Amino acid sequence: MKFLLDTHTFLWFVNDDPQLSVDAKNLLESDVDLLLSLASLWEIAIKVSIGKLALPDSYDKFIPQQVALNDVQILPIGLAHLGSVATLPFHHRDPFDRLLIAQAMVEKVSIVSADAVFDRYGIGREW
């Protein structure tokens, strides 16, 4: 099975943060395929650049290292994903999260996220 990681889920997982639920950690450490959206990587880069997020190493070193170490597949942003964003109801205003929701819908995968608002879109959410 494939699962799309929310941005915070990826960060909490790779940093062994106790905010990651036990169930989510067990899922991510099991034999499943992990997807990380380019939108999440973009969000992380923005937060690092404005000083809202500090990584243990530079973005250019840390992110590729963690993606490889944790066997995470990068999910590109496609036209179908963007088309789905255009039709989403506004249960959530965060543009990165809306793109993740659209990607989960188009790819027919569940998202691993603490954000219960995602449930309003009828997608599978693990936590």
Side-chain angles (χ1 to χ4, degrees), residues 61-72:
K61 290 181 184 175
F62 183 74
I63 296 299
Q65 177 188 53
Q66 292 303 315
V67 165
L69 182 67
N70 293 289
D71 197 26
V72 175

Side-chain angles (χ1 to χ4, degrees), residues 99-114:
L99 182 52
L100 295 180
I101 291 159
Q103 286 183 302
M105 289 176 160
V106 170
E107 301 298 323
K108 297 179 176 41
V109 297
S110 293
I111 191 163
V112 184
S113 176

Side-chain angles (χ1 to χ4, degrees), residues 78-88:
L79 289 176
H81 301 141
L82 299 175
S84 182
V85 169
T87 65
L88 286 178

Side-chain angles (χ1 to χ4, degrees), residues 4-7 37 39-40 96-104 111:
L4 179 60
L5 306 181
D6 197 347
T7 307
S37 174
S40 290
F96 294 106
D97 286 348
R98 290 176 58 75
L99 182 52
L100 295 180
I101 291 159
Q103 286 183 302
I111 191 163

Side-chain angles (χ1 to χ4, degrees), residues 12-118:
W12 292 351
F13 180 59
V14 301
N15 289 307
D16 200 26
D17 191 306
Q19 294 181 86
L20 184 66
S21 76
V22 172
D23 289 342
K25 184 175 182 174
N26 289 338
L27 175 66
L28 301 181
E29 291 176 343
S30 69
D31 188 26
V32 296
D33 293 327
L34 304 178
L35 303 173
L36 184 64
S37 174
L38 275 177
S40 290
L41 295 174
W42 181 21
E43 180 180 16
I44 293 167
I46 289 171
K47 288 183 177 181
V48 167
S49 74
I50 63 174
K52 195 172 179 182
L53 175 65
L55 299 175
D57 205 341
S58 71
Y59 181 96
D60 289 344
K61 290 181 184 175
F62 183 74
I63 296 299
Q65 177 188 53
Q66 292 303 315
V67 165
L69 182 67
N70 293 289
D71 197 26
V72 175
Q73 301 169 35
I74 303 302
L75 179 60
I77 299 168
L79 289 176
H81 301 141
L82 299 175
S84 182
V85 169
T87 65
L88 286 178
F90 276 94
H91 300 307
H92 206 300
R93 298 197 64 82
D94 181 290
F96 294 106
D97 286 348
R98 290 176 58 75
L99 182 52
L100 295 180
I101 291 159
Q103 286 183 302
M105 289 176 160
V106 170
E107 301 298 323
K108 297 179 176 41
V109 297
S110 293
I111 191 163
V112 184
S113 176
D115 194 344
V117 175
F118 285 18

